[in-house]
Every structure is written in structure tokens, then in C-alpha cells.
Amino acid sequence: AQKVTQAQTEISVVEKEDVTLDCVYETRDTTYYLFWYKQPPSGELVFLIRRNSFDEQNEISGRYSWNFQKSTSSFNFTITASQVVDSAVYFCALSESSGNTGKLIFGQGTTLQVKP
Amino acid sequence: DAGVIQSPRHEVTEMGQEVTLRCKPISGHDYLFWYRQTMMRGLELLIYFNNNVPIDDSGMPEDRFSAKMPNASFSTLKIQPSEPRDSAVYFCASSLQWLMDPTGGIYFGEGSWLTVV
């Protein structure tokens, strides 16, 4: 069965600190997709990134970076120089490969609080 | 481009009443999803459509829930009769087929916050 574990329930940092959100997944599929979403206090779900299982290249987008390691089944998310606006719940998600099922399996989320 | 549009944003209704949630997906997207978010269960998929055809409704909790997609630009999720345990945030989302969109994701609307009293 597919499963996503975000072991960190809540993280609190001071502005400008770097922070890493952990995500560990389980799947039997050889091809799969991993995602990160941000849910700010206003409630919407904002798509951040999708990573395909056959592409292990790490991704950097501004202050955001993602580290995908198939060997440890992890897809961690790092925010560099955090800002108050980064305060949100962050979800990691996994999808099976058969066509485009869209059946995202979400982790329970990590609440990030960035204090000024 | 406009994102996924949901209505109503907030709904408070009495137990037993019918609730209809509406969704307009992103133009050109051929997949549409209905997700529900609760504190107890987190985010879970209720149903999804491909080219207006329901593909997987295994997440629909029970017969009180139904979803339709009469055309490519409109979908509804109906609860009849509603119960307090249906209180949740209901998200509609859409996407392209991922083979056609190598780095894209599933794009969510702002959600419909439902409270059944």
C-alpha cells in the first residue's frame, strides 16, 4: 500500500533560519510521482512541485529546494532564509503511476511557524 | 489564466438539507478531482473524472454523496441529506494528463467550507 509519512507535526523557527521538512514515502510502484503543497492560513492548497520517480535530480526554486533520494524513499523540502510568509502547513503527497489517476496520497502535513 | 473556481466558499446548512458544491476547472484540463479535508482524516480523494467520465468513486463515503460532470467546464458534488459529520472543506482540483505536462501538478480551488449543524 502507498503511504506518506511526515514525522514532523510542527516546526517553529525564527526568521532567516533554514528549515527542512521531511517526507518519507512507501510504494510498490516503480514509476510514481511526488508532490509538495503549501496550505497557508487562508486555506487554499498551493502546488509547489512535482517530481517524477525516474528523475532524481534535485530541484531549486529561489529559496526552496527539494532533495529526492530513492535509496531512502525520501523527498525532503528545504526553505532557506525562512520568512514569516512561509508560515503554513506543508503537505507531501504521492501518486501511483498508472496513467494519471490523480489519486494523491497525502501525508498528515507539517505546520511551519516562522517567527519574526 | 483563471484557476479552479469553486462555489460557494462557505456554506452553513441544517442537518437533512441538500448541499450542492460547484466547480469550474482550469480551461483545457481533462482531469477533475473532488477532495475532502477534515482534521480526523486529512486530505482524501472522493472521486475523479477524466474527460467528464467518472473514473474512480471509491472514496465517496456513501450513497448520500453524488458527483456529476455534465461538461468539461462544470462539475457538482451533492450531499443529500447532509449530516453534521459531513462538515469539512471540499476541494475541487484539475490537471492535465501528466504525460502531456511533465512538471505540472494537480491545481486546487480555494475550497468550499461546509458546516452542517
Side-chain angles (χ1 to χ4, degrees):
Chain A
Q2 297 186 331
K3 185 180 178 182
V4 175
T5 302
Q6 295 179 255
Q8 304 150 308
T9 305
E10 293 184 21
I11 301 176
S12 181
V13 300
V14 176
E15 207 170 18
K16 297 185 183 178
E17 285 185 20
D18 299 347
V19 58
T20 296
L21 310 180
D22 297 334
C23 173
V24 174
Y25 63 91
E26 296 176 27
T27 180
R28 293 181 180 176
D29 289 348
T30 55
T31 301
Y32 50 89
Y33 306 94
L34 296 163
F35 301 78
W36 276 95
Y37 283 86
K38 174 182 180 180
Q39 188 171 40
S42 50
E44 71 270 27
L45 278 164
V46 179
F47 167 68
L48 296 178
I49 191 171
R50 165 183 146 208
R51 174 59 67 218
N52 307 321
S53 59
F54 45 84
D55 180 5
E56 289 194 68
Q57 188 172 14
N58 290 326
E59 180 90 9
I60 298 175
S61 177
R63 296 184 297 107
Y64 295 171
S65 62
W66 291 269
N67 185 356
F68 175 36
Q69 293 199 346
K70 287 180 81 169
S71 60
T72 56
S73 297
S74 64
F75 186 43
N76 297 337
F77 173 29
T78 297
I79 302 175
T80 303
S82 60
Q83 300 176 2
V84 173
V85 293
D86 296 326
S87 297
V89 182
Y90 291 86
F91 291 95
C92 181
L94 166 71
S95 182
E96 59 192 0
S97 66
S98 53
N100 178 0
T101 67
K103 190 168 186 174
L104 297 181
I105 307 299
F106 283 89
Q108 287 302 303
T110 297
T111 300
L112 173 64
Q113 184 181 33
V114 181
K115 298 179 181 178
Chain B
D1 287 340
V4 176
I5 299 172
Q6 292 186 245
S7 65
R9 289 295 316 281
H10 296 88
E11 174 103 3
V12 180
T13 191
E14 292 185 348
M15 183 174 63
Q17 295 298 305
E18 178 179 290
V19 174
T20 299
L21 308 178
R22 298 172 178 82
C23 175
K24 176 179 169 57
I26 294 173
S27 178
H29 281 188
D30 45 7
Y31 285 82
L32 183 138
F33 312 89
W34 285 99
Y35 280 82
R36 179 171 69 174
Q37 185 177 29
T38 62
M39 289 295 294
M40 291 294 294
R41 300 175 66 90
L43 280 154
E44 53 183 348
L45 177 68
L46 299 177
I47 185 172
Y48 80 94
F49 297 82
N50 177 216
N51 292 323
N52 313 337
V53 177
I55 303 300
D56 184 351
D57 65 354
S58 59
M60 296 285 263
E62 48 197 271
D63 291 345
R64 298 185 298 105
F65 286 69
S66 62
K68 294 182 179 179
M69 191 166 185
N71 57 63
S73 59
F74 184 66
S75 177
T76 59
L77 178 67
K78 189 172 293 186
I79 308 172
Q80 167 62 24
S82 58
E83 295 182 3
R85 60 188 167 130
D86 301 330
S87 297
V89 183
Y90 291 82
F91 287 101
C92 179
S94 71
S95 76
L96 291 168
Q97 185 182 49
W98 290 340
L99 290 175
M100 307 295 290
D101 186 16
T103 59
I106 295 178
Y107 299 92
F108 285 76
E110 293 184 316
S112 292
W113 299 63
L114 174 65
T115 302
V116 183
V117 299

